[in-house]
Amino acid sequence: MSFFSLFKELFQNLNQQRLRSFLTIFGIMWGTATLILLLAFGTGFRDQQVLNMRGMGDQLAIMFPGRTTMPFDGYGIGRPIRYKEADAKLIADQVSDIDVATPEYMRSLEITYKEKKRNSSVGGVYPVYQELRNTFEQKGGRWLNERDQEERRRVIFLGNRLAENLFGEEDPLGKTVMVANTPFKVIGVMQEKIQNSSYNQQDRDRSFIPASTFSVMMGTDQINNILYVPSDPAIAPAVMDQVYEVMARRHRFDPKDRDAIGIWDTNEFWAFINTIFLGINGFLGMIGFFTLAVGGIGVANIMFVVVQERMKEIGIRRSVGAKGYHIMGQFFLEAFVIVGLGASMGYVIGYGLIQAMQNIPIEEFVGTPYFSPQVGLIALGVLGFVGFAAGLLPAWRASKLNVVECLRQ
């Protein structure tokens, strides 16, 4: 029997049992759409969390001063560890696997423009800070540069919400604000960015001035934090151990005393993200798989009924020379066509639902679902398995039927 004849006969059978065919195809269609939608949500949620974390910076580690909890070399416990700018340079020089290390001053100060006042966490930073923390400027403005640092200029870069609170609709560029009663010229405003974590205040409410200006203005060389980036995220734990050893030698504490200095390594978050979302997407995929499997069971049941109804046809074909694998191939093909019809409609419906959800305001919380090639391939693989499983037993049973028993029907 030719492929054309097989398809013609298949569609004639589907047409004769419209309700049964519709329900069978609907089960596959709904299962496919559910699988695609769940996988798309899982992918969108993962990407949104990654985007949120990028607001802190890429592969960044932040060092905070602490207190010793172990006696060491004649020193008791409870001794505070304080950083200076030289500590950042020492780490960069002595830990070869660190690409960059930079100090950060920080203090909550009042910023005033005309009658408006806001408290802001003012950071005294070096120009490299921008790349580490993804604090990029809006069009027309600029970030702090080396000349600002060298000449101790009184210039300030504002977070976008801080600028909005102080200036409203007025353009802040070039205007003068008072920082703790000291005039500063606004040189830039930060682009809006998604940020769901911080270690003092979100960057949209912060402001930044040159580290040299901050040190002179506040009369201190004691910094608040040190930021560094390992050359390879895979070796971040080893780099952290080296940092503890370098700082322990300089500040005289036991390198095993992890409370002497605190290190927030965001690389650990990336590893956590990969693990947790692998589990989440696996869970969502299993829900979609079981939903689709229900449709596959429906296909298998229908194919068993079809085999029973067409026993005489099978007997006639076998009696005129058809082999068992011919019969098996015919029923396999029919099962895959049914699954293919339902899957095609499921793909269209799933894609349509994903597109319909693009404008729903849920991005900040769970991300926006999107149809990726990965989602499509996973769904295709699951559908292939379901089609194979749904057609195997009915097709095998049809191929093993006794010719005489079939002709008796």
Side-chain angles (χ1 to χ4, degrees), residues 46 49 269-282:
R46 179 199 63 195
Q49 297 309 306
F269 176 81
W270 296 113
F272 172 77
I273 279 286
N274 291 333
T275 302
I276 194 67
F277 281 102
L278 180 62
I280 290 175
N281 287 336

Side-chain angles (χ1 to χ4, degrees), residues 186-235:
V186 178
I187 59 170
V189 176
M190 188 184 76
Q191 292 180 13
E192 184 175 359
K193 68 175 179 178
I194 298 173
Q195 181 184 355
N196 63 353
S197 61
S198 66
Y199 49 93
N200 185 270
Q201 189 178 29
Q202 290 200 356
D203 293 339
R204 62 185 180 180
D205 296 312
R206 294 189 63 195
S207 53
F208 305 92
I209 65 177
S212 57
T213 306
F214 189 103
S215 177
V216 172
M217 180 178 170
M218 297 299 162
T220 182
D221 62 350
Q222 182 175 299
I223 62 176
N224 295 77
N225 313 303
I226 298 175
L227 286 64
Y228 71 83
V229 176
S231 57
D232 184 352
I235 61 173

Side-chain angles (χ1 to χ4, degrees), residues 1-14:
M1 184 180 290
S2 65
F3 274 104
F4 176 77
S5 299
L6 285 174
F7 277 104
K8 182 179 179 181
E9 185 175 340
L10 169 62
F11 285 106
Q12 286 175 349
N13 292 330
L14 292 177

